[in-house]
Amino acid sequence: MHNPLDYSFNEIKIGLEHYFEVSIDEKLEKDFAKISGDFNPLHMDEQYAKETKFGKRVCHGMLLASFFSRLVGMYLPGKNALYFSQNLNFTGPCFIGDTVIVKGKITGKSEATKMIKIETTIRNNAGELLVDGIAQVLVR
Amino acid sequence: MHNPLDYSFNEIKIGLEHYFEVSIDEKLEKDFAKISGDFNPLHMDEQYAKETKFGKRVCHGMLLASFFSRLVGMYLPGKNALYFSQNLNFTGPCFIGDTVIVKGKITGKSEATKMIKIETTIRNNAGELLVDGIAQVLVR
């Protein structure tokens, strides 16, 4: 789906939610390593990762964070988004093969600045929290 | 360069800096759109972007943020990194063709938690600030 939603500032209500799922596969992980330039062995080297407490390769936290770009640019508010800030807490590991649920919920809006505040979370299929944070987005 | 630096917690000193440059080209921008799923027309549609105040397509802020993954996973501290948190302020637009300077500076460390604090910035060639924030990273 390449056409974003198109909420105006007035249409955004406190409590409005959107979510989508993403399957984390080998290709996505490798493509992100190339784009970011982060080839840390915890992400890339199965043998190395096996000896860490995680027992296997862990996906880049910033790969997960990239899905907040989609959340903001395609859904909340979609077309009229201008990303102002995002904070990120990496709270749990994501592994290749996981399906993650990326979710946003509107928790605030400012008439004066046309800024909306979004509670953003990413969970795995077991419901464990992997990333959370707050996004602030200007609705143009 | 695929081999990360390998700082131990004790080797990390307040004031330590690392930086690198990235050229933002069409391919990087398109690849990031595919990975993130963010096809907002401000990033993807030249005609649309021309009519905004920016006058041309703006790169995804989260593409720039992905370079902080490299900063942490390859340089500060490199191999032993475990990303704990990152906040991001998107303060200026980045355009295709820009070369950006990604920089980190150690501003704090905690013996008790083995956590380091990094002041993170991305600037364009004209020295304009595009993204800033604070990273917190556990040194394993």
Side-chain angles (χ1 to χ4, degrees):
Chain A
M1 201 276 282
H2 286 199
N3 289 321
L5 298 182
D6 189 10
Y7 285 111
S8 67
F9 181 79
N10 288 335
E11 288 167 337
I12 300 275
K13 307 293 180 200
I14 307 288
L16 176 67
E17 292 185 349
H18 273 273
Y19 76 94
F20 57 89
E21 294 189 349
V22 183
S23 294
I24 309 296
D25 61 18
E26 184 68 38
K27 184 179 183 325
L28 200 56
E29 175 59 18
K30 280 196 174 156
D31 286 348
F32 185 81
K34 271 185 222 158
I35 283 184
S36 65
D38 183 358
F39 294 93
N40 190 289
L42 183 61
H43 307 308
M44 306 306 288
D45 183 338
E46 196 64 53
Q47 283 307 313
Y48 174 85
K50 204 172 279 184
E51 285 159 33
T52 68
K53 68 170 176 176
F54 301 106
K56 50 184 170 173
R57 286 188 294 154
V58 175
C59 297
H60 297 78
M62 276 292 182
L63 166 60
L64 300 182
S66 80
F67 305 138
F68 289 151
S69 183
R70 175 172 166 193
L71 182 70
V72 163
M74 301 296 279
Y75 302 104
L76 291 175
K79 191 172 180 183
N80 301 309
L82 200 61
Y83 222 149
F84 180 73
S85 68
Q86 172 78 55
N87 66 359
L88 299 164
N89 301 305
F90 301 111
T91 57
C94 177
F95 303 105
I96 290 164
D98 281 2
T99 295
V100 298
I101 300 98
V102 181
K103 192 170 174 179
K105 181 180 181 176
I106 306 294
T107 59
K109 55 185 291 191
S110 160
E111 284 290 340
T113 60
K114 302 297 179 204
M115 199 79 79
I116 59 174
K117 194 180 282 191
I118 312 168
E119 189 185 279
T120 56
T121 60
I122 299 181
R123 292 177 186 274
N124 63 17
N125 257 346
E128 293 161 335
L129 188 66
L130 307 185
V131 188
D132 73 356
I134 302 289
Q136 292 195 92
V137 182
L138 182 74
V139 186
R140 292 180 292 130
Chain B
M1 202 275 282
H2 287 198
N3 289 320
L5 298 182
D6 190 10
Y7 285 111
S8 68
F9 181 78
N10 288 336
E11 287 167 337
I12 299 276
K13 308 292 180 200
I14 307 287
L16 176 67
E17 292 186 350
H18 273 274
Y19 76 93
F20 57 88
E21 293 189 349
V22 183
S23 294
I24 308 296
D25 61 18
E26 183 69 37
K27 183 178 182 329
L28 200 57
E29 174 59 18
K30 280 195 174 156
D31 286 349
F32 185 82
K34 270 183 223 160
I35 283 182
S36 65
D38 183 358
F39 294 93
N40 190 287
L42 183 61
H43 307 307
M44 305 307 287
D45 183 339
E46 196 63 54
Q47 284 306 312
Y48 174 84
K50 203 173 278 183
E51 285 160 35
T52 68
K53 67 172 177 176
F54 300 106
K56 50 184 170 173
R57 285 189 294 155
V58 175
C59 297
H60 297 77
M62 276 292 182
L63 167 60
L64 300 182
S66 80
F67 305 138
F68 289 150
S69 183
R70 176 172 167 193
L71 182 71
V72 162
M74 300 297 279
Y75 302 103
L76 292 175
K79 191 172 178 182
N80 301 308
L82 199 61
Y83 223 149
F84 180 74
S85 68
Q86 172 78 57
N87 66 357
L88 300 164
N89 301 304
F90 301 111
T91 57
C94 177
F95 302 105
I96 289 164
D98 281 1
T99 295
V100 298
I101 300 97
V102 181
K103 194 171 173 179
K105 182 182 182 175
I106 305 294
T107 59
K109 55 185 290 192
S110 160
E111 284 292 339
T113 59
K114 303 297 179 204
M115 198 79 79
I116 59 174
K117 196 180 281 192
I118 312 169
E119 188 184 279
T120 56
T121 59
I122 299 181
R123 291 177 186 275
N124 63 16
N125 257 346
E128 293 161 335
L129 188 67
L130 308 185
V131 188
D132 72 358
I134 302 289
Q136 292 195 92
V137 182
L138 182 74
V139 185
R140 291 180 293 130

